[in-house]
Amino acid sequence: MTKAERGIEGAIADAQRRGEFDNLPGAGKPLPQDSESYGEDWWLKQKSTRENIGADALPTTIKLARELDALDDTLAGLSTETRVRKYLDDLNTRLKKALMFPGDGPPLRRGLVQVDEAVDAWRSQRRDA
């Protein structure tokens, strides 16, 4: 064991003696096994939940990914085709910006929304409801 490793082990042992690891959240519980826990931004989801960070504080790319995940529900709440198209045009504008000028957050791994396909799905969903 190197000198640095001995120092780290000593610091851990001291913290254990002081009880700094007692009563930690999740102590004695198994690690989560659901697939969402291990997505590319699992750590950010856990941190935002644990520290009660609102969605506004999340990086742009993660906000966009979440918006895409909820797209069907969002569109279902819109009452006219004009509103659906306007929303999708705005979303695609923000997606283009995030794809062309990567900034904060992990890379956006999705492309633009196909507006006509999304509108057709919206129409079909309304017809079936």
Side-chain angles (χ1 to χ4, degrees), residues 22-99:
D22 297 347
N23 302 317
L24 290 174
K29 296 179 185 174
L31 293 173
Q33 297 299 313
D34 59 325
S35 60
E36 185 173 320
S37 298
Y38 297 106
E40 69 181 34
D41 63 345
W42 65 269
W43 59 273
L44 190 57
K45 289 178 185 175
Q46 285 184 358
K47 182 173 178 66
S48 64
T49 300
R50 186 175 55 248
E51 297 183 11
N52 197 24
I53 297 172
D56 292 339
L58 294 175
T60 302
T61 55
I62 292 179
K63 287 191 279 190
L64 286 168
R66 287 185 175 182
E67 193 170 347
L68 288 168
D69 289 342
L71 185 60
D72 291 340
D73 292 335
T74 302
L75 295 182
L78 299 176
S79 58
T80 66
E81 182 176 331
T82 302
R83 288 186 174 153
V84 170
R85 287 185 179 278
K86 183 176 180 179
Y87 173 80
L88 292 171
D89 288 342
D90 175 65
L91 177 59
N92 275 341
T93 299
R94 291 181 286 127
L95 287 168
K96 282 179 194 174
K97 183 177 178 183
L99 290 167

